[in-house]
């Protein structure tokens, strides 16, 4: 039976590591504040899953009790994050984290995004027009009697 417990532990640890890795990747790659908070929550859940797996493997409730505290802290963090997101959106009108450069430390240079080359504006599409009511549209005879694509 110990082999079964060890295999189950490995599976839970792999899922926990994947959750943590996805959360860390999302946190580092995205610039939206809400997505960053959700990725931080995903990292916490990956750690929680690993703690529960180790706790179950060692038949100890210490890891599970720690997970209860993590869930309580995550709930408080979600409430504070909602208030923070609402305040930040009201002040700047956007949830892009780059707009908050003034909150960095004094000795840190501002982050500068790479400028994209300007693309030429696309011409407005030519939309088909309906013929005026009561009149037949003037269509060249070649278009109706000869079809080169058939």
């Amino acid at each position: 039976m110990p082999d079964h417990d060890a295999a189950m532990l490995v599976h839970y640890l792999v899922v926990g590591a994947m959750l943590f890795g996805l959360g860390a990747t999302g946190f580092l790659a995205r610039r939206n504040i809400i997505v960053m908070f959700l990725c931080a929550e995903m990292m916490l859940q990956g750690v929680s899953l690993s703690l529960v797996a180790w706790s179950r493997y060692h038949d100890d409730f210490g890891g599970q009790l720690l997970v209860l505290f993590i869930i309580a802290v995550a709930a408080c963090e979600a409430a504070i994050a909602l208030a923070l997101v609402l305040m930040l959106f009201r002040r700047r009108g956007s949830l892009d984290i780059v707009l908050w450069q003034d909150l960095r430390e004094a000795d840190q240079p501002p982050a500068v995004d790479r400028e994209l080359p300007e693309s030429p504006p696309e011409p407005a599409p030519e939309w088909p027009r309906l013929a005026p009511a009561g009149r037949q549209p003037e269509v060249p005879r070649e278009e109706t009697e000869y079809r080169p694509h058939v």
Side-chain angles (χ1 to χ4, degrees):
M1 209 43 118
D3 293 330
H4 175 67
D5 288 342
M8 192 168 64
L9 173 67
V10 168
H11 293 309
Y12 281 119
L13 291 178
V14 167
V15 172
M18 286 177 16
L19 279 173
F20 187 85
L22 283 172
T25 302
F27 189 84
L28 294 174
R30 302 302 296 245
R31 293 180 6 178
N32 188 325
I33 295 174
I34 294 175
V35 175
M36 291 174 75
F37 278 121
L38 289 175
C39 290
E41 292 289 330
M42 191 181 298
M43 288 189 291
L44 280 175
Q45 295 307 316
V47 171
S48 296
L49 183 63
S50 299
L51 284 172
V52 168
W54 280 112
S55 177
R56 171 72 178 101
Y57 182 73
H58 291 293
D59 288 330
D60 184 22
F61 289 112
Q64 294 175 6
L65 288 175
L66 187 57
V67 167
L68 286 177
F69 287 116
I70 289 174
I71 290 173
V73 168
C76 296
E77 176 196 355
I80 292 171
L82 177 63
L84 181 65
V85 164
L86 289 175
M87 188 265 315
L88 293 176
F89 184 76
R90 250 188 226 159
R91 187 169 286 182
R92 294 287 168 116
S94 176
L95 294 177
D96 192 358
I97 201 74
V98 175
L99 296 176
W100 292 94
Q101 296 272 340
D102 54 345
L103 295 179
R104 70 183 186 282
E105 294 182 22
D107 60 343
Q108 296 295 319
V112 179
D113 288 338
R114 290 182 289 148
E115 295 292 327
L116 295 175
E118 289 194 28
S119 60
E122 295 182 17
E126 184 69 30
W127 296 102
R129 298 182 184 191
L130 295 174
R135 292 181 49 202
Q136 291 291 333
E138 296 178 20
V139 179
R141 188 172 180 179
E142 294 84 27
E143 288 185 22
T144 59
E145 294 180 1
Y146 174 72
R147 295 181 281 167
H149 62 280
V150 177

